[in-house]
Amino acid sequence: MATRSGDRNPDIPIEEEGAPIQGVKRERGHPEAGNEAAVDRDPAVPSKKKVGAPASSMYPMTPTSSSLMTIAPELMGYHLNLPMGYGAMLPPGGRMQPTNSMTQPRVNIAGSNNFVIMGSDVQSTGSVPRATSIFPEGVRSQHSASLEVVQERVRTQHSASLEELKQKLNHHLKTKYSRLTKQVQPIPFLKDKHSIDKLFTEVGMNYRPAGDDTTWQTLESHHDIPTGTIGQSRVQIIEGDAGYGKSMLSLQMVHDWCTCDSRSPLNNVDILIRLNLRQLGGSKSIYEAVVKCLLPLDSLIKESDVEQLLRDEDTRTLILFDAYDEYPDKDEEGNFVSRILEENLLQHVKVILTTRSSCIPGGCDGLTAGRIKLTGFDGRAREEYVRAVVTGGDEEATKKIVTQFNTNSILADICQSPLFSVIYAHLAHKAELKLDFGSVTEFFRFLVYCFHDHEDNKPQTKAAAEEQAKFQEFRDNHDELDKLSYGALSAENQQLTWDKEKFVTEVGEEFYKRHIDIGILVEEEVMNRNYPKQPNPYKTEVRFFHKLSCEWFAAHHFVKRLRSSPSSMPENLIDLMDPSDLQHVYRFACGLDPLAAHRVLDLLKKKEDCDSLAVLCALEQKDKVGDVLDTVRDLVSRDVRIREDDSRLLQRTTIELVQRACEHGFPVSCLQLDRSFRRFDVTNSCIVLESDFRLANMRTVRVLHIEKSDIDNEITRDELLGLLQKCVGLTELRFDSHRFLLPISIPPETIPPALKRRNINVLYDRCHDLVYRLSFQHGQWKHNQLPTTQTESKNTDVERYNVKWDDIE
């Protein structure tokens, strides 16, 4: 008869405590049965013990819906049939006893050890009652100890397995990285290859930690870059203009890790993943990218293995994403790079990302990511590179090349870019060149000619002469390449690589082969985003050796568009070519064609925040700024700013713009020196900037605004009065920072009468809500909490001029 859950099985009698269950026989192994003894068992329930079952001291305690099972830990020396899923462990002679005889069944098994059946879920099974769990007295602690031992064994085995997997992955990674770092080609057409540690030269670097949007610190070495393993920020962004050495720096960091450089903080990194994002279009996960881009084809490591390693929080992993600005999927929502940067994936992993300054990833603001800005080569770095790499330590040859940099200001400014500096140094040494460049356009035109002409010798046969003529035609006429380049850069999502077959169809087989041979174009094997629809997981794409080359050819087509458009050009042309990202397209266009230059400058003047670029574009004109006076007049009618972090070329060009404006009597409405002011040279009557450039002619400057300084900067009485007298057209001079230490007072008799008559506003803004104005009549400062346009009669005198400025507030 079936019974309900919770009812006692009437076929099993309840015996007195300590008595055996009636009708139960003993099986072999029970101590009271001798050689034949076993745990008492209901004869109606057959034993289901599996012969040869492995010994175990740990069984699951979770009930199941199965019928019967035999719990038979051989280590305990007994066998007992119990309902399936209850994992009871009974010692020899054990017995089970309910805690409440009124509600719970009692099962006695010969022996003296007590067992309690917890719960009263009894079913008619023909044998012992079914219970929720059984806790043998004196065995529970043994069970817990055994469980911990097994768990520790599992952890140890897992850790050993993970460590073995890590070693295999690192072996593949270091093999891959070794090939990359030993075959670096600084100039494609020279075919010379070097190891990265022989080529690498430290560039200027400024660092700003996460959470600080104002202060930049100078880094002396790439070893000082916080990698996340020693810094506070999980993400570090290395930014810089095209040709400033971002990819070279990433390769050097990889080399440091592979060689365990003792100076490098990367010694703390267990796994370093470097991925060139340009190659990862269509990749759906970082695990797929690692397997397909970094591991050999016959590697047994699977994507799941890589995922297991990267997800392990005990493994110190650093991911180095190179060339984010060329990542094909950067604008696609939910791409794996964005998920990692935004901490939606692999939150414990540290990340370094390189990109152009104009292409910082969204979500990586100054609060969440540290920023490292590359500022290029200075004279010391150029000389170090020339001596170590170009001349091999030949001091005479080194001096000859370095002298060319130092005596040509245009060349020195252009070669602040490490790429241009390296190219010129190698060319000057091999061909013993001494060239004078007046603009970036002239320099790049020369560079393209070097690509084409370095292998061309005087033809000895008619066939060779015909071939050389054809190559010169390719050099001078490249309309299809211009069009492709312009289309790629003006697209909503810039396309910096092309499918090889389609590209060859557009430009022609011979043209393509020539540009591959000379190094302007390069082939690259990348992941096939159409795989597995297409059988091959990889495909060959073609790209320019550097993005600047793409901008050069795009500029030629841009010029055609500018010349073919009516004089009232549609402004959407500039919207297609983002000036902040593609400044060289505009500069090259201005250098290639005078008419295009005028139209570019007209466009830039209408575009917000493009004044600095307009200055650089004006300099590209053959006759420099002097031939574009209308542009000069217009540019200085708005605020002109010289920033501390402007390139030397931009600073020098801006200074030249101001000088030319003053020479021609054009009013300079406002000149702002943002952290770039060092002092006023009284002897030479000029402003000296932090870059050592000098501003001498400021005759028509109307407002001079000297902003912010990170260090205390004392301005003496003579410097202040000398500056005011130098700027004869000045109506307002403003110092904006408490770090400027101005004279607390000026004796009235030392102030020239001409200055008193000019009624110049000299303002000292210490903390934005506390402004002081200098009274020339009394030589004292007056406190002003009203707008600076208010008259002096509305100012409130402050009797604090006999104390230091730091105590005035």
Side-chain angles (χ1 to χ4, degrees):
M1 178 181 67
T3 59
R4 297 169 303 177
S5 174
D7 291 342
R8 183 179 63 82
N9 189 337
D11 296 330
I12 302 179
I14 301 179
E15 305 293 340
E16 296 296 330
E17 182 174 349
I21 301 177
Q22 296 295 325
V24 174
K25 295 181 181 180
R26 300 186 186 280
E27 290 186 346
R28 185 176 48 159
H30 194 281
E32 296 181 12
N35 293 335
E36 302 295 328
V39 179
D40 295 337
R41 179 173 61 85
D42 189 333
V45 183
S47 173
K48 294 190 177 182
K49 177 179 181 295
K50 295 182 179 180
V51 178
S56 173
S57 61
M58 182 173 67
Y59 286 85
M61 301 297 290
T62 305
T64 70
S65 59
S66 305
S67 57
L68 300 175
M69 69 173 290
T70 298
I71 305 299
E74 296 179 357
L75 292 177
M76 306 301 293
Y78 68 89
H79 304 290
L80 175 66
N81 288 343
L82 289 176
M84 174 71 80
Y86 289 97
M89 294 187 299
L90 305 180
R95 67 183 179 185
M96 295 178 290
Q97 177 179 335
T99 58
N100 189 326
S101 61
M102 299 297 295
T103 60
Q104 294 179 323
R106 181 177 61 193
V107 180
N108 292 337
I109 298 180
S112 59
N113 291 336
N114 294 327
F115 286 79
V116 179
I117 300 178
M118 304 300 296
S120 57
D121 183 16
V122 182
Q123 298 180 354
S124 177
T125 61
S127 60
V128 295
R130 181 165 182 161
T132 303
S133 62
I134 300 174
F135 295 94
E137 223 175 83
V139 175
R140 182 175 181 180
S141 59
Q142 179 183 353
H143 170 74
S144 299
S146 301
L147 179 62
E148 292 176 1
V149 169
V150 174
Q151 287 177 336
E152 179 61 29
R153 185 181 304 159
V154 170
R155 282 194 296 266
T156 302
Q157 292 174 348
H158 173 74
S159 178
S161 175
L162 203 64
E163 183 63 28
E164 181 181 0
L165 184 60
K166 184 194 306 179
Q167 291 177 3
K168 291 179 180 178
L169 176 64
N170 279 344
H171 172 73
H172 289 321
L173 292 177
K174 292 185 177 183
T175 301
K176 175 75 172 183
Y177 297 156
S178 178
R179 290 196 302 269
L180 286 176
T181 57
K182 289 181 179 179
Q183 300 179 14
V184 182
Q185 195 172 343
I187 306 178
F189 60 79
L190 292 182
K191 308 300 181 185
D192 296 333
K193 294 184 179 181
H194 303 267
S195 174
I196 184 65
D197 61 316
K198 302 298 182 184
L199 284 175
F200 183 76
T201 302
E202 298 286 359
V203 300
M205 289 179 289
N206 294 327
Y207 172 64
R208 189 175 72 188
D212 186 345
D213 60 352
T214 59
T215 304
W216 289 91
Q217 308 166 14
T218 300
L219 300 181
E220 298 298 330
S221 165
H222 72 286
H223 294 308
D224 298 330
I225 293 178
T227 62
T229 56
I230 59 173
Q232 296 180 350
S233 304
R234 171 179 171 267
V235 177
Q236 304 287 348
I237 297 177
I238 299 176
E239 59 181 280
D241 292 336
Y244 268 59
K246 300 181 292 295
S247 294
M248 292 287 283
L249 175 57
S250 73
L251 283 177
Q252 180 61 39
M253 296 177 74
V254 165
H255 179 269
D256 292 343
W257 178 72
C258 290
T259 58
C260 301
D261 191 321
S262 60
R263 299 167 297 173
S264 173
L266 297 182
N267 278 333
N268 294 326
V269 174
D270 295 325
I271 297 176
L272 191 153
I273 303 294
R274 179 190 182 270
L275 291 169
N276 190 328
L277 293 179
R278 183 179 58 245
Q279 302 173 345
L280 300 186
S283 180
K284 300 304 180 184
S285 76
I286 187 171
Y287 319 118
E288 175 191 16
V290 170
V291 169
K292 293 185 176 179
C293 294
L294 298 180
L295 304 187
L297 293 176
D298 60 351
S299 172
L300 298 180
I301 296 178
K302 304 183 294 294
E303 290 181 25
S304 58
D305 297 326
V306 176
E307 180 176 2
Q308 182 183 10
L309 280 171
L310 296 191
R311 287 185 179 275
D312 179 38
E313 295 189 7
D314 293 329
T315 300
R316 295 166 297 188
T317 301
L318 174 66
I319 300 175
L320 205 168
F321 289 129
D322 189 32
Y324 176 81
D325 52 298
E326 300 182 43
Y327 178 35
D329 297 342
K330 64 177 177 293
D331 296 318
E332 291 189 9
E333 186 176 355
N335 66 73
F336 75 84
V337 175
S338 297
R339 295 203 306 272
I340 292 174
L341 294 176
E342 296 167 6
E343 297 192 53
N344 291 323
L345 180 66
L346 302 178
Q347 296 91 340
H348 63 285
V349 169
K350 310 301 181 183
V351 181
I352 293 179
L353 178 143
T354 73
T355 184
R356 284 193 181 193
S357 300
S358 58
C359 193
I360 303 298
C364 286
D365 54 29
L367 297 177
T368 60
R371 303 274 288 274
I372 298 101
K373 181 179 292 185
L374 305 187
T375 59
F377 271 177
D378 58 13
R380 177 197 57 78
R382 278 196 298 266
E383 182 173 348
E384 180 182 336
Y385 180 87
V386 171
R387 179 179 292 106
V389 181
V390 179
T391 67
D394 185 332
E395 291 299 328
E396 183 177 351
T398 299
K399 183 178 179 181
K400 185 182 298 184
I401 296 174
V402 170
T403 300
Q404 294 184 42
F405 285 124
N406 295 336
T407 56
N408 185 329
S409 60
I410 295 289
L411 183 62
D413 288 333
I414 292 172
C415 290
Q416 186 179 358
S417 162
L419 175 66
F420 289 157
S421 184
V422 167
I423 290 174
Y424 183 82
H426 282 275
L427 290 176
H429 179 60
K430 281 187 174 291
E432 298 186 355
L433 299 173
K434 186 175 182 180
L435 301 170
D436 187 15
F437 301 106
S439 67
V440 175
T441 304
E442 289 184 2
F443 180 85
F444 216 85
R445 182 185 287 115
F446 162 75
L447 177 61
V448 172
Y449 270 68
C450 287
F451 271 90
H452 280 277
D453 298 340
H454 77 283
E455 289 182 342
D456 293 341
N457 299 314
K458 186 175 180 180
Q460 302 296 323
T461 65
K462 181 179 180 180
E466 291 175 353
E467 184 178 63
Q468 189 177 59
K470 181 170 57 179
F471 290 163
Q472 290 176 352
E473 177 68 15
F474 291 159
R475 182 193 65 191
D476 299 331
N477 296 292
H478 33 77
D479 292 346
E480 292 303 323
L481 185 57
D482 298 343
K483 187 176 180 180
L484 285 173
S485 302
Y486 180 85
L489 295 178
S490 61
E492 183 176 354
N493 297 323
Q494 290 183 7
Q495 175 192 345
L496 299 175
T497 61
W498 295 264
D499 178 80
K500 177 182 175 180
E501 293 182 2
K502 294 179 180 178
F503 191 88
V504 172
T505 301
E506 292 289 337
V507 301
E509 181 72 37
E510 288 186 299
F511 184 95
Y512 174 79
K513 187 177 184 304
R514 172 63 176 173
H515 283 77
I516 288 289
D517 289 342
I518 64 178
I520 288 181
L521 297 175
V522 295
E523 292 180 348
E524 192 169 57
E525 190 177 66
V526 301
M527 296 175 60
N528 187 354
R529 64 170 65 235
N530 294 320
Y531 179 80
K533 294 180 180 179
Q534 295 178 355
N536 194 337
Y538 304 98
K539 67 174 184 177
T540 301
E541 290 188 340
V542 59
R543 63 176 178 85
F544 286 98
F545 91 97
H546 198 279
K547 190 177 180 181
L548 281 173
S549 299
C550 187
E551 294 188 42
W552 169 260
F553 289 98
H556 286 75
H557 189 74
F558 190 37
V559 167
K560 292 180 181 178
R561 295 285 301 272
L562 291 167
R563 291 186 65 88
S564 62
S565 300
S567 56
S568 55
M569 242 183 63
E571 295 184 13
N572 66 343
L573 267 184
I574 200 170
D575 294 329
L576 294 174
M577 306 286 285
D578 182 7
S580 64
D581 183 41
L582 301 171
Q583 62 158 300
H584 283 91
V585 174
Y586 291 89
R587 295 173 68 178
F588 290 151
C590 290
L592 290 170
D593 186 85
L595 177 60
H598 284 287
R599 294 188 174 177
V600 164
L601 292 170
D602 287 340
L603 285 173
L604 293 177
K605 285 185 289 187
K606 299 174 184 178
K607 186 79 172 177
E608 187 177 357
D609 296 328
C610 285
D611 288 351
S612 295
L613 178 56
V615 173
L616 293 172
C617 287
L619 186 65
E620 291 300 312
Q621 287 293 281
K622 185 177 180 180
D623 294 323
K624 314 290 188 306
V625 181
D627 285 350
V628 284
L629 295 182
D630 290 340
T631 300
V632 172
R633 181 188 291 108
D634 186 72
L635 289 175
V636 299
S637 67
R638 293 168 285 177
D639 290 359
V640 178
R641 176 169 292 191
I642 302 177
R643 302 176 180 85
E644 178 190 32
D645 56 355
D646 286 342
S647 69
R648 291 180 61 83
L649 176 60
L650 179 55
Q651 283 197 12
R652 186 187 58 77
T653 306
T654 305
I655 291 171
E656 185 173 349
L657 175 74
V658 173
Q659 305 294 293
R660 294 297 179 92
C662 292
E663 289 172 6
H664 291 84
F666 302 150
V668 180
S669 63
C670 180
L671 175 60
Q672 298 184 37
L673 305 181
D674 187 354
R675 299 174 184 256
S676 57
F677 175 88
R678 179 187 296 170
R679 63 187 178 87
F680 181 79
D681 185 340
V682 177
T683 303
N684 296 300
S685 191
C686 64
I687 288 177
V688 181
L689 302 181
E690 291 290 351
S691 60
D692 288 325
F693 286 138
R694 294 171 178 258
L695 264 168
N697 190 347
M698 296 171 286
R699 187 170 57 88
T700 62
V701 174
R702 296 293 183 256
V703 175
L704 179 58
H705 192 179
I706 304 177
E707 301 180 24
K708 300 178 181 178
S709 179
D710 292 333
I711 59 175
D712 291 340
N713 194 332
E714 183 179 3
I715 309 295
T716 67
R717 180 189 67 187
D718 291 342
E719 289 177 343
L720 179 60
L721 295 179
L723 179 59
L724 293 170
Q725 294 180 83
K726 178 67 176 180
C727 303
V728 296
L730 201 64
T731 61
E732 179 176 304
L733 172 62
R734 186 184 189 99
F735 293 92
D736 181 12
S737 175
H738 70 281
R739 305 304 294 267
F740 288 113
L741 306 179
L742 297 174
I744 297 171
S745 63
I746 300 177
E749 63 274 13
T750 64
I751 301 176
L755 282 181
K756 295 180 179 180
R757 292 193 297 269
R758 286 169 55 189
N759 194 29
I760 305 172
N761 277 328
V762 180
L763 304 173
Y764 183 24
D765 187 350
R766 288 184 59 79
C767 55
H768 302 294
D769 58 353
L770 190 62
V771 179
Y772 296 90
R773 181 186 178 201
L774 180 64
S775 169
F776 285 98
Q777 300 303 319
H778 306 95
Q780 304 289 328
W781 296 91
K782 296 179 181 295
H783 180 219
N784 178 11
Q785 291 183 329
L786 299 174
T788 57
T789 53
Q790 298 294 321
T791 61
E792 185 177 350
S793 61
K794 294 186 179 181
N795 294 335
T796 303
D797 289 341
V798 179
E799 302 296 335
R800 298 177 180 176
Y801 308 119
N802 60 339
V803 295
K804 294 182 179 179
W805 279 107
D806 288 342
D807 298 330
I808 289 180
E809 300 176 18

